[in-house]
Amino acid sequence: MPNELTSRHGVDEPISWSASEMVVHYSVAAPSEADARSVASELTRRGHRWVTVRPVYLPHLDPGNRLFGKPEFSRPELEGWWSVDSLVDEEAPDRASEFHQHDCEKAAVEAVGRAHGGFWNGGSQANRETKLSGFDRRGLVHELDQKHAHRMRRDMVSSFPPPVEEPAPATPLRCATPGRPLPPVLECVRQVARDQEARQGKLPDGTAWWLTAEADGFSGDREVVFELADSVMHQGTCYPHTAEEIPLLAGLACHEGIRPAHRAVLTTFLFEAATIGQRLAASGADRRVALGLPLEETVDELAARRAVEAAAPYLLGRWDGEDEAVRFTLAALAAATRHSASSTRIRHLAERWTTGPRRDALRLAAVLAEADDAEVATVLRDIVESGAVPPRRVPSPLAPTRGAALNLLKPLVEREMPPLLSHEAALPAPP
């Protein structure tokens, strides 16, 4: 359904909009039916085309479900809660704008849920035919015709902030090419494991595995590096074994046979392991607060952080001898472990960039290392208000300050790794 609108980016010429290719499903959990109906009314005023209200479905309460009577495989904490589900069917000038509208609307729906004691409870998107035909209309409380919904959505979209412009690809962080042949990463892993075995006797199972013939099947250094991270924190999640395998990552990160680009990546993994509990508490703050769950780290997450904190001083002591790329990731490690002695070095490194993501990352890292929560909050607010943060990454007001800042720092550090590794792969092998 094409129409003409004037661009909200200061361009006088009208631009053509058409129905979006994707229809989006939003879901909010609310603590009572009354709260759920209030949420539903607000979503309807935002132009959500269909809105339903019904109790949260819990498999362990359904005699017809194979998980009946097994709350450990369900979500028993949501017993008595209500689900508000809706579809947004709107228009957009192009695919990029469409995704931006989805991001902005998700942030708005999260705020609506939070205001009524609830939280964002998931969502999905699919092509128009699939989503419209598959939406469960049980408990339907509001319905808008397409023309009315599109008009209301255009009003909502006009209030959204402009999209965050992706910064131009940066030259990879400076990283020297080794002047001598280096051993395969797997060989270094095994050397670190054997050294640990000689010092402490029995190795953790995950570390000992690298000494077996099974580990010979990797295709190259890059695969070994990322398999290491996945074995310690599968899909970025902390496990009981995570803390005991941190010494392997830390030992490898300072092994002289490791290329600087891989050293930077390994240091990033240590940053992630040290911060996973605080970051998850921040990203899930709305849900945890609504359900009365703690915002603290779990036992396993705390153990992982302490394991990294034990290894960090030695790694950070290598700062002066490391390349720019490794120093950048050491700044993140200092932030994760509150290593205040590194803050001056981080600020000095930040002088290389006057604006942009690297400057933002190092500003955050410096104040996080100093462990001044008031200053962390100030820098975090400045970065968010600068318009450099996409809506999906703006922290909830309920998120702990430190966790929110670490959550923002993570993608700023991670974005540096692919170009660094690509540049490394393109270099000729040392003679």
Side-chain angles (χ1 to χ4, degrees), residues 85-401:
D85 293 86
S86 63
L87 286 189
V88 169
D89 173 10
E90 63 186 355
E91 303 161 303
D94 52 57
R95 196 65 184 274
S97 298
E98 186 177 325
F99 284 116
H100 174 64
Q101 290 169 204
H102 297 169
D103 279 350
C104 290
E105 187 60 23
K106 179 178 180 291
V109 172
E110 287 174 340
V112 171
R114 189 164 53 239
H116 292 278
F119 56 91
W120 164 262
N121 197 32
S124 61
Q125 55 183 284
N127 67 65
R128 177 172 300 279
E129 181 178 350
T130 299
K131 188 57 75 175
L132 294 183
S133 63
F135 183 63
D136 186 350
R137 289 173 169 76
R138 288 176 300 163
L140 186 69
V141 293
H142 299 288
E143 181 174 3
L144 300 172
D145 65 77
Q146 187 184 57
K147 184 176 181 180
H148 189 198
H150 280 178
R151 184 166 62 250
M152 295 177 74
R153 289 304 303 158
R154 290 197 297 270
D155 289 342
M156 285 295 133
V157 169
S158 69
S159 69
F160 290 160
V164 175
E165 292 188 14
E166 283 293 323
T171 302
L173 291 163
R174 291 193 300 231
C175 196
T177 304
R180 60 185 176 87
L182 294 177
V185 171
L186 180 58
E187 184 178 320
C188 298
V189 174
R190 286 172 164 166
Q191 183 178 338
V192 172
R194 290 189 187 102
D195 289 347
Q196 290 181 7
E197 187 175 38
R199 290 195 306 271
Q200 63 194 45
K202 181 176 172 56
L203 291 172
D205 290 344
T207 301
W209 180 86
W210 291 95
L211 298 176
T212 70
E214 289 183 72
D216 292 331
F218 295 107
S219 61
D221 286 350
R222 184 166 181 162
E223 188 176 346
V224 170
V225 168
F226 284 96
E227 178 61 28
L228 269 167
D230 193 60
S231 66
V232 176
M233 298 177 295
H234 180 59
Q235 296 182 344
T237 302
C238 193
Y239 292 88
H241 68 259
T242 297
E244 64 185 14
E245 293 181 27
I246 290 297
L248 179 63
L249 287 182
L252 197 59
C254 58
H255 192 284
E256 295 306 323
I258 293 295
R259 303 176 78 84
H262 292 149
R263 194 186 311 282
V265 172
L266 290 163
T267 307
T268 302
F269 294 155
L270 291 169
F271 160 78
E272 292 179 5
T275 60
I276 188 168
Q278 295 167 90
R279 290 186 288 106
L280 288 177
S283 63
D286 288 351
R287 184 180 189 278
R288 294 193 188 195
V289 170
L291 293 171
L293 301 175
L295 290 167
E296 289 78 30
E297 299 152 293
T298 66
V299 171
D300 293 336
E301 291 163 352
L302 178 60
R305 174 163 64 83
R306 287 180 171 165
V308 177
E309 287 173 346
Y314 179 76
L315 292 165
L316 292 164
R318 297 168 54 92
W319 181 289
D320 291 337
E322 298 290 4
D323 292 328
E324 177 181 82
V326 180
R327 290 181 183 182
F328 190 89
T329 57
L330 285 174
L333 183 62
T337 58
R338 304 184 188 223
H339 195 266
S340 58
S342 295
S343 62
T344 300
R345 287 169 164 170
I346 297 171
R347 293 182 188 280
H348 179 68
L349 179 61
E351 292 171 2
R352 287 254 296 114
W353 301 280
T354 56
T355 59
R358 289 176 181 170
R359 176 71 174 178
D360 289 341
L362 293 170
R363 286 179 65 204
L364 272 177
V367 294
L368 284 163
E370 291 166 347
D372 183 340
D373 281 355
E375 189 61 22
V376 171
T378 298
V379 173
L380 180 63
R381 184 175 60 252
D382 287 350
I383 293 173
V384 169
E385 292 179 353
S386 73
V389 181
R392 66 183 178 277
R393 291 184 183 155
V394 174
S396 163
L398 301 181
T401 297

Side-chain angles (χ1 to χ4, degrees), residues 56-72:
V56 171
Y57 176 70
L58 299 172
H60 73 284
L61 299 180
D62 180 1
N65 193 293
R66 62 186 179 83
L67 298 179
F68 177 65
K70 299 179 179 179
E72 65 273 20

